[in-house]
Amino acid sequence: MSESKRRKPNTPTPDSGESPLLNESILLLIFESVKWDIRILSLTGSLNQKLRAIAERLLWRKLCAYRAPRMVNALANGAPNGRINGGWNALAKLMFFCCGCESTRNFQLNQRLSGHFVKSSRFSKTSGRSFLTKKCQGDLLYVSDPCEHPLVDKNDDVGIFRGVFRGFTRSRTRACLIRRQVGFEESVRCPYCGVRVWSMTTARLIPKSAARRLGTRDGGLEYFVCLNGHLYGNCWLVPLSSDEDRCDDEEDGDASGDSDDGLDDDSQTVKDGSTSSMGEEVCGDD
């Protein structure tokens, strides 16, 4: 057998012209050393087709598990090495990218708010329960705190939030949308994975608890859910007095079965360089 036939096809050799950076073990060591910096990973995945394939198959999953281990473990049903609806790169984008917003038929703005990278985001499945109707309470949904966007000509700020379902294809929410024969939104695509979306406002599947959780008036919000279970939306953030804020927190806690101290043991904060959750904080380099 000739020497060329004996070589393993995936083993880089001095004559192959293949970069050592295509070695997955080396890539893992590099990204561990930079604490899974999302910007560096995005740049790496755009260099060539082979690096993009490795990133989509392995690196994005590792980044998600590093930044939000508890949330990822829950979303992946305890099997973080498996696949996830929409892909791990879409989940990573959802963790760290506020998609902005523009006017829709149910939410009118006089200006477009651009998307942007955020340094940290707090996701909570307790918050997620506030976005589920009573018939859909068996679903698992993580939702972020709203990203606040002030407007020049209005007193109220716009809050932009995002979230993700576990196993959306088998969820009660999806079954309810299909049973009601809710149509997809025309010319609207998920900003995280690019697939079609349902308007939960149009579907009349927004519970009053969602407005209380966000600190907005009833009817002052809209959100969408895509085929892969990514949720995103916006609301008017109405300034509240301290008494009103405390009252809303108490009502929301009673409705969702939270403990009296208001702590959400299942929250997960994803940060630029670190991960933390209530009762647990692991700090990285800023």
Side-chain angles (χ1 to χ4, degrees):
M1 184 181 292
S2 66
E3 182 181 354
S4 61
K5 290 183 179 180
R6 289 198 302 269
R7 291 174 183 164
K8 294 182 180 179
N10 294 327
T11 303
T13 66
D15 299 329
S16 68
E18 189 172 277
S19 170
L21 287 180
L22 293 176
N23 185 296
E24 294 178 4
S25 298
I26 294 176
L27 282 170
L28 289 174
L29 289 173
I30 290 173
F31 283 104
E32 286 172 3
S33 69
V34 298
K35 298 180 180 179
W36 295 96
D37 188 292
I38 191 169
R39 293 183 180 89
I40 296 177
L41 181 47
S42 297
L43 179 61
T44 301
S46 67
L47 292 177
N48 59 52
Q49 190 172 0
K50 289 185 177 180
L51 283 171
R52 180 178 179 179
I54 295 174
E56 291 183 353
R57 179 174 53 82
L58 174 66
L59 300 180
W60 286 117
R61 169 169 55 83
K62 292 289 188 180
L63 179 145
C64 291
Y66 175 84
R67 295 300 180 84
R70 293 173 61 189
M71 185 170 77
V72 166
N73 187 61
L75 291 174
N77 283 310
N81 291 333
R83 302 181 64 182
I84 193 169
N85 289 345
W88 292 102
N89 55 334
L91 179 60
K93 184 178 180 181
L94 186 142
M95 285 180 180
F96 289 100
F97 186 74
C98 169
C99 63
C101 72
E102 54 188 18
S103 289
T104 66
R105 57 176 168 166
N106 298 310
F107 194 89
Q108 296 297 314
L109 288 173
N110 59 5
Q111 66 185 86
R112 183 181 183 277
L113 299 175
S114 300
H116 62 94
F117 180 85
V118 294
K119 291 196 68 175
S120 65
S121 297
R122 177 180 174 274
F123 288 83
S124 168
K125 66 182 181 182
T126 300
S127 294
R129 285 197 291 268
S130 300
F131 288 75
L132 300 171
T133 61
K134 290 182 179 179
K135 292 182 179 180
C136 300
Q137 284 294 317
D139 293 344
L140 177 60
L141 169 65
Y142 281 88
V143 174
S144 73
D145 289 340
C147 178
E148 299 183 15
H149 291 249
L151 298 179
V152 176
D153 58 343
K154 282 187 174 289
N155 293 327
D156 297 347
D157 293 343
V158 173
I160 302 175
F161 52 94
R162 56 209 191 276
V164 57
F165 282 84
R166 178 180 68 185
F168 184 68
T169 55
R170 301 180 302 277
S171 68
R172 297 180 182 180
T173 299
R174 180 179 180 273
C176 190
L177 286 164
I178 293 173
R179 186 170 59 251
R180 294 188 179 192
Q181 298 182 334
V182 180
F184 293 115
E185 290 295 290
E186 294 294 333
S187 305
V188 181
R189 294 292 186 273
C190 175
Y192 299 106
C193 64
V195 303
R196 304 192 73 177
V197 304
W198 288 283
S199 167
M200 302 300 278
T201 306
T202 301
R204 298 182 180 180
L205 286 174
I206 297 182
K208 292 182 179 180
S209 55
R212 291 200 304 270
R213 172 66 67 173
L214 293 166
T216 188
R217 297 187 183 94
D218 229 6
L221 74 154
E222 178 175 36
Y223 55 90
F224 303 89
V225 175
C226 81
L227 282 164
N228 287 318
H230 301 136
L231 178 151
Y232 68 97
N234 29 266
C235 64
W236 294 110
L237 295 175
V238 182
L240 298 175
S241 67
S242 59
D243 290 340
E244 290 173 321
D245 195 10
R246 183 169 59 252
C247 181
D248 282 350
D249 285 343
E250 290 172 356
E251 290 178 358
D252 197 37
D254 292 342
S256 60
D258 291 341
S259 59
D260 292 338
D261 61 8
L263 292 180
D264 174 14
D265 292 334
D266 298 311
S267 67
Q268 179 75 53
T269 303
V270 290
K271 294 185 177 180
D272 185 11
S274 66
T275 60
S276 67
S277 60
M278 297 297 288
E280 176 186 29
E281 184 173 1
V282 181
C283 297
D285 295 334
D286 292 326

